[in-house]
Amino acid sequence: MTEENRFKRDIKDHWRVSYNQNGYPHVQQGWILPPERMKEFDPFILMADDWFKRGTFSDHPHRGFQTITYVVDGRLEHIDNHGGHSVLDAGDVQYMNAGWAARHGEEAVDEDLIHTFQLWLNLPQELRTTTTSYQNVYLEDAPVAEVNGGSVRVYSGEVAGVKGPMESLVPITMTEIRLKEGAEYKHVIPENHNGFFYVTAGEIEAGESSVPLAKTDVGLLTYKEDGTDADSELTIRAKTRARLLLYSGVPLKEDYVAHGPFVMSNMDEIRDAMRDFQAGKFGKPAVK
């Protein structure tokens, strides 16, 4: 498909994230993708912007979905009940497939105030019982493509001629886009991907309507629901030097229920997950 014939993306909706001041230890939280609108974000479920101290997200279970955690600042310590342990720094990402029975902790190191973005990515029904797995994608291992007036760091998927190292069970694209003031960049992703971005610095105009957006704004993109994997493009213009994270994926188009730390096909399966955890079927606690 020629560039002239590509589907041109626009901004379907946009909003500015508001924050709750929760006190110690979960200092502040905002919803990048609000849970009450989750059906619009398929295959994504929700995304949180969190500041927290140690003791907020200690040992806890998950089942039926995937998480993608981007470290904005501070040190994030991961512990799981299969012996896994790692510390991630700013710009690092952890992918988790909760699958059938994840039990882990995500903590700030020592006295750090950690700042993270955590995205929940759905699993198709047939993959909800897969084996739990974790993958760290360190900043230096995510390739960078130079583009006109900036750069694109690719964590997942193939974008701008480079392929990211994340091995998600549901293929997605995840990129961090940095642009100089005045730069114009056309971001190319498949036309059938539902997608969104979060502005983390500066001011931009995006889409065919040149919608103005700034730091802590979210842009939900138009897409072709009956499209293919043919290329589409989103035009981004930097009014100031700017930075944003952009995610996209093919909708699963399946019914599901998200309740507490579990995402399943219906409430009966949610109750089964609760009973299994209470019965010890998720294994021992995640502690060092």
Side-chain angles (χ1 to χ4, degrees):
M1 179 181 292
T2 65
E3 290 188 21
E4 292 76 14
N5 294 328
R6 285 176 181 167
F7 173 61
K8 305 299 192 297
R9 300 264 184 162
D10 209 346
I11 307 304
K12 181 179 180 180
D13 194 8
H14 60 92
W15 55 90
R16 180 156 294 174
V17 175
S18 59
Y19 297 92
N20 294 319
Q21 308 302 318
N22 298 328
Y24 188 91
H26 193 178
V27 177
Q28 178 171 281
Q29 182 181 60
W31 291 112
I32 298 169
L33 298 184
E36 65 271 17
R37 296 181 60 176
M38 62 179 64
K39 300 304 182 183
E40 300 175 55
F41 310 137
D42 188 16
F44 309 108
I45 300 171
L46 58 81
M47 186 169 173
D49 185 347
D50 293 297
W51 283 258
F52 57 96
K53 301 285 283 185
R54 194 168 185 86
T56 303
F57 297 116
S58 57
D59 172 53
H60 61 277
H62 289 297
R63 175 179 284 177
F65 66 106
Q66 304 155 94
T67 63
I68 298 169
T69 306
Y70 176 94
V71 180
V72 183
D73 193 25
R75 294 169 294 168
L76 180 68
E77 181 178 31
H78 159 79
I79 305 164
D80 65 61
N81 67 344
H82 293 288
H85 178 264
S86 58
V87 174
L88 286 80
D89 294 298
D92 295 339
V93 171
Q94 185 180 77
Y95 164 79
M96 177 189 73
N97 171 41
W100 182 243
R103 188 166 182 174
H104 73 158
E106 304 157 288
E107 291 279 32
V109 176
D110 298 330
E111 296 301 316
D112 284 15
L113 174 63
I114 185 78
H115 182 194
T116 64
F117 304 145
Q118 185 170 94
L119 174 67
W120 286 22
L121 172 61
N122 207 356
L123 280 169
Q125 189 170 2
E126 69 270 15
L127 295 180
R128 296 199 194 280
T129 58
T130 48
T131 301
T132 301
S133 64
Y134 303 88
Q135 180 191 6
N136 291 331
V137 178
Y138 298 113
L139 177 69
E140 61 271 21
D141 295 329
V144 176
E146 300 301 323
V147 299
N148 182 35
S151 63
V152 179
R153 186 178 299 276
V154 183
Y155 289 96
S156 183
E158 188 166 349
V159 178
V162 297
K163 190 177 189 316
M166 188 185 299
E167 299 174 355
S168 167
L169 287 186
V170 176
I172 65 165
T173 73
M174 175 185 174
T175 53
E176 183 178 53
I177 302 165
R178 295 172 181 256
L179 297 173
K180 298 177 183 178
E181 181 178 351
E184 180 175 301
Y185 164 62
K186 296 185 186 299
H187 190 74
V188 178
I189 51 177
E191 65 181 15
N192 63 345
H193 276 210
N194 196 6
F196 70 96
F197 61 80
Y198 185 44
V199 182
T200 57
E203 299 178 21
I204 65 170
E205 293 179 342
E208 291 301 284
S209 301
S210 298
V211 176
L213 298 163
K215 180 178 168 64
T216 71
D217 281 339
V218 183
L220 182 63
L221 305 180
T222 57
Y223 74 103
K224 279 194 172 183
E225 294 189 35
D226 57 350
T228 67
D229 60 0
D231 287 345
S232 68
E233 65 182 40
L234 170 70
T235 300
I236 303 168
R237 301 176 188 87
K239 297 171 66 177
T240 67
R241 57 194 294 257
R243 185 170 69 247
L244 60 147
L245 286 165
L246 194 150
Y247 304 79
S248 74
V250 179
L252 301 180
K253 299 179 181 179
E254 294 183 356
D255 292 332
Y256 68 93
V257 176
H259 186 85
F262 308 121
V263 178
M264 302 301 294
S265 299
N266 51 58
M267 277 305 300
D268 286 341
E269 292 181 356
I270 293 286
R271 285 186 280 270
D272 288 343
M274 292 177 178
R275 283 192 289 265
D276 287 348
F277 176 65
Q278 292 164 356
K281 294 182 180 181
F282 281 66
K284 62 184 180 181
V287 295
K288 285 196 292 187

